[in-house]
Amino acid sequence: MKISIIGVGLIGGSIALKLKGKKLVNFIYGIDNNKDNLKEAIALNIIDEEADLENGIKNSDLVIIAIPVDAARNILPKVLDLISESQTVMDVGSTKSGIVNSAKNHPKRSRFVAFHPMWGTENNGPKSAVAESFSGKAGVICNHEESANDALELAKNIIESLDMHLIYMNAESHDVHTAYISHISHITSYALANTVLEKEKEEETIFQLASSGFSSTVRLAKSHPEMWVPIFKQNKENVLDVLNEHISQLRKFKAALEKENFEYLAELIENANKIRGILDKN
Amino acid sequence: MKISIIGVGLIGGSIALKLKGKKLVNFIYGIDNNKDNLKEAIALNIIDEEADLENGIKNSDLVIIAIPVDAARNILPKVLDLISESQTVMDVGSTKSGIVNSAKNHPKRSRFVAFHPMWGTENNGPKSAVAESFSGKAGVICNHEESANDALELAKNIIESLDMHLIYMNAESHDVHTAYISHISHITSYALANTVLEKEKEEETIFQLASSGFSSTVRLAKSHPEMWVPIFKQNKENVLDVLNEHISQLRKFKAALEKENFEYLAELIENANKIRGILDKN
């Protein structure tokens, strides 16, 4: 099988690297507006050849769209226009309602499988790609009933090849859940970084004192706006709901401290400790 | 040299493990109200022998206090009462003004060195102790001018044996900086865990979807209230200042989203990205 990957960055590159080791895939075209990314992806042996959109798609059984979610939403109808009924398209975006809606009334909607691999890092570009990234993580297919059986079958083979466990979910539920378990983490991390940068103008002190706990909570604050602004934009309502809830949770800590109600503070912390049971299962 | 460690938990245990491999220390007494901790510490070869406070101190050149910061503050004057002018006492607490003040007018104040090793995890107990935890991290000595030269010299040898790099700081500055780079991280992590737990009553969904980014930002939410309530209590004013700043930073993200001002959102994120330069130096 030949595939085209539109966007050979962190996610597209990691998928390519992993699939190259599998019998399922024997040739990978890279399609990217960023010529440096393409060069790098070839040098790193992530893709076999670069292609333009038309030629890449024409020669591929499967097209994987791995660009920021707003661009993905825009390009999907164009990709569907170009494919035949025997080709399949997947995306990898972190928000799913937008892209599903963008294809909703397309005559070739059933050739599209809305996919979200639950993995990412704060890094970008083909050089950050890691073949084993996806192993053991969740691979979510949204609105599978809108996809043709053979397209779905192909997508399932790909997800299996990525060593992910498959979950079905509707796009709206997906976007609520990811607001809670991914999007808000990024906002708190960004806000935490800005909090520290605001006050600690003497970078040297942060540099000297910063402990592993700090690095862990602000790691996501390294993530680029090119990827994350579109995600927040597309998932605005859910992200705002969660952000409001998060601010109100922070206010409980504030109230407990202001009122010196340390029993309540301990209760808040004990409740938070329950997350251990959930994380440790992972 | 013989040392006594009061509190053979994560930090006390890790210090003991590391120092056991060094010529400097040839015998370690463990002092702990928790008999299970003592048994475990002996079984794990972390301490050589358990002792009560009086006997442990009497036989030691150095006493390291490694219990929660409120308990440490209470016990320090008692420990200073028990030692001679040739013995030294260190603590390892995450807040420093409180403990420094508790010893301020003690006739043997100069035997005490206020120390904070900038390392910790969300785990507790001797079983979590790791010998190499401290390597390359900052070891902060506060108000060194209040310590006797020989006590300071001994503390410096210990910090060197832990492979930490030494920083001097006054206790008040320390407590401001740690509010920013450690204490607030814990509060955001707790609040994030509570936000998710509040809405995601179906744990299974979090379990299935939770990605590495989520785990990273909520990792600290596993940290126990026994350690953290006293830290927030002792550093209340600084933590509240930072918490207010953090909430106002989060409100900027909220405003940007509500007003669909995505340029501003990108600016906020770009600013947060500057943390990369600081983290990557570490």
Side-chain angles (χ1 to χ4, degrees):
Chain A
M1 176 168 64
K2 289 182 175 178
I3 69 174
S4 275
I5 296 185
I6 305 177
V8 289
L10 171 70
I11 303 295
S14 297
I15 290 177
L17 275 179
K18 178 73 181 183
L19 294 181
K20 286 200 107 173
K22 302 280 174 172
K23 277 186 187 163
L24 191 67
V25 174
N26 51 30
F27 201 89
I28 300 180
Y29 294 101
I31 300 168
D32 205 307
N33 287 335
N34 182 330
K35 294 298 164 197
D36 289 339
N37 272 4
L38 285 173
K39 260 188 228 165
E40 205 171 290
I42 288 172
L44 293 168
N45 205 23
I46 289 174
I47 58 171
D48 296 298
E49 213 170 84
E50 61 170 279
D52 59 26
L53 192 67
E54 286 71 19
N55 283 308
I57 291 177
K58 194 172 63 186
N59 293 310
S60 296
D61 306 287
L62 170 67
V63 179
I64 297 177
I65 301 172
I67 52 181
V69 292
D70 52 348
R73 187 180 173 159
N74 289 336
I75 212 173
L76 176 59
K78 293 171 199 159
V79 173
L80 290 176
D81 287 345
L82 289 168
I83 61 163
S84 74
E85 287 289 347
S86 66
Q87 289 171 289
T88 299
V89 184
M90 295 169 76
D91 81 318
V92 298
S94 299
T95 55
K96 297 262 72 90
S97 299
I99 197 155
V100 157
N101 286 337
S102 79
K104 199 171 180 146
N105 299 313
H106 197 283
K108 277 176 272 182
R109 164 63 183 92
S110 70
R111 305 313 308 162
F112 170 58
V113 180
F115 171 52
H116 181 200
M118 296 299 299
W119 176 82
T121 75
E122 66 279 17
N123 302 313
N124 65 345
K127 66 186 175 309
S128 312
V130 189
E132 291 310 317
S133 311
F134 305 102
S135 301
K137 305 292 193 309
V140 186
I141 290 183
C142 289
N143 297 21
H144 68 282
E145 66 287 352
E146 297 171 19
S147 302
N149 282 340
D150 67 308
L152 216 48
E153 211 49 50
L154 177 55
K156 281 158 71 176
N157 283 340
I158 293 290
I159 294 168
E160 203 170 285
S161 298
L162 296 175
D163 293 329
M164 307 196 90
H165 60 271
L166 177 61
I167 298 175
Y168 294 110
M169 205 174 274
N170 78 54
E172 284 173 19
S173 299
H174 168 277
D175 288 358
V176 172
H177 288 307
T178 50
Y180 277 96
I181 57 134
S182 164
H183 307 171
I184 188 68
S185 290
H186 284 79
I187 290 187
T188 57
S189 213
Y190 289 133
L192 189 59
N194 285 344
T195 302
V196 172
L197 291 165
E198 181 64 28
K199 290 273 174 161
E200 297 269 345
K201 300 285 182 194
E202 312 145 52
E203 293 193 1
E204 205 49 38
T205 313
I206 314 181
F207 162 57
Q208 286 182 322
L209 287 185
S211 61
S212 52
F214 177 71
S215 307
S216 167
T217 36
V218 298
R219 178 173 70 79
L220 299 179
K222 301 178 190 173
S223 309
H224 284 210
E226 293 75 15
M227 172 172 176
W228 281 93
V229 170
I231 291 173
F232 297 138
K233 193 172 172 179
Q234 300 233 356
N235 207 16
K236 192 191 106 176
E237 296 303 332
N238 291 321
V239 170
L240 273 174
D241 282 352
V242 186
L243 184 51
N244 283 325
E245 172 66 24
H246 181 57
I247 291 173
S248 96
Q249 291 291 344
L250 282 169
R251 284 216 193 92
K252 292 182 188 178
F253 282 86
K254 187 181 154 173
L257 269 173
E258 279 173 345
K259 293 174 187 159
E260 306 202 336
N261 186 344
F262 297 112
E263 268 180 44
Y264 180 44
L265 187 60
E267 272 171 39
L268 292 172
I269 293 177
E270 274 155 24
N271 191 65
N273 285 169
K274 291 180 194 155
I275 207 75
R276 180 183 285 269
I278 292 161
L279 292 177
D280 290 356
K281 271 196 260 178
N282 261 339
Chain B
M1 175 168 64
K2 289 181 175 179
I3 69 174
S4 274
I5 296 185
I6 305 177
V8 288
L10 171 70
I11 303 296
S14 297
I15 290 177
L17 275 179
K18 179 73 182 182
L19 294 182
K20 286 200 106 173
K22 302 279 174 174
K23 277 186 188 164
L24 191 65
V25 174
N26 52 28
F27 202 89
I28 299 180
Y29 294 102
I31 301 169
D32 204 307
N33 287 334
N34 183 332
K35 294 297 165 199
D36 290 339
N37 271 4
L38 286 173
K39 261 188 226 164
E40 205 171 289
I42 287 172
L44 293 167
N45 206 22
I46 289 175
I47 57 171
D48 295 298
E49 212 170 85
E50 62 170 277
D52 59 26
L53 192 67
E54 285 71 17
N55 282 309
I57 291 177
K58 195 172 64 189
N59 293 310
S60 296
D61 305 286
L62 170 68
V63 179
I64 298 178
I65 302 172
I67 53 181
V69 291
D70 51 349
R73 186 179 173 160
N74 288 335
I75 212 172
L76 176 59
K78 293 171 199 159
V79 173
L80 290 176
D81 287 344
L82 289 168
I83 61 163
S84 73
E85 286 290 348
S86 66
Q87 289 172 289
T88 298
V89 183
M90 296 169 76
D91 80 318
V92 298
S94 299
T95 56
K96 298 260 73 87
S97 298
I99 197 154
V100 157
N101 285 337
S102 78
K104 197 168 181 148
N105 299 314
H106 196 285
K108 278 176 271 182
R109 165 63 183 93
S110 69
R111 306 311 309 160
F112 170 58
V113 180
F115 172 51
H116 182 202
M118 296 299 298
W119 176 81
T121 75
E122 67 279 18
N123 302 313
N124 64 346
K127 65 184 176 309
S128 311
V130 189
E132 289 311 318
S133 311
F134 305 103
S135 301
K137 305 289 193 309
V140 187
I141 289 183
C142 288
N143 296 20
H144 67 282
E145 65 287 352
E146 298 172 20
S147 304
N149 283 341
D150 67 309
L152 215 50
E153 211 49 50
L154 177 55
K156 281 158 71 176
N157 283 341
I158 293 291
I159 294 168
E160 201 170 285
S161 298
L162 295 174
D163 293 329
M164 306 194 91
H165 59 271
L166 177 62
I167 298 175
Y168 294 111
M169 204 173 275
N170 78 54
E172 283 173 20
S173 298
H174 169 277
D175 288 359
V176 172
H177 288 306
T178 50
Y180 276 94
I181 57 133
S182 165
H183 307 170
I184 189 69
S185 289
H186 284 79
I187 289 187
T188 58
S189 211
Y190 289 134
L192 190 59
N194 285 344
T195 303
V196 172
L197 290 165
E198 180 65 28
K199 291 272 176 163
E200 298 270 343
K201 299 285 183 194
E202 312 145 51
E203 293 193 2
E204 206 48 37
T205 312
I206 314 180
F207 163 56
Q208 286 182 323
L209 287 184
S211 60
S212 53
F214 177 71
S215 307
S216 167
T217 36
V218 299
R219 178 172 71 79
L220 300 179
K222 301 178 189 172
S223 308
H224 285 209
E226 293 75 17
M227 173 171 175
W228 282 93
V229 170
I231 291 173
F232 297 139
K233 194 171 170 178
Q234 300 233 357
N235 207 17
K236 192 191 105 177
E237 296 303 333
N238 291 322
V239 170
L240 272 174
D241 281 351
V242 186
L243 184 50
N244 283 326
E245 172 66 24
H246 182 56
I247 291 173
S248 97
Q249 291 291 344
L250 282 169
R251 284 216 193 91
K252 291 183 188 176
F253 281 86
K254 188 180 152 171
L257 269 174
E258 279 174 344
K259 292 175 188 159
E260 306 202 337
N261 187 344
F262 298 113
E263 268 180 44
Y264 180 44
L265 187 60
E267 271 171 39
L268 291 172
I269 293 177
E270 274 156 24
N271 190 65
N273 286 168
K274 290 180 195 155
I275 206 77
R276 180 182 285 269
I278 292 161
L279 291 177
D280 290 356
K281 271 196 258 177
N282 262 337

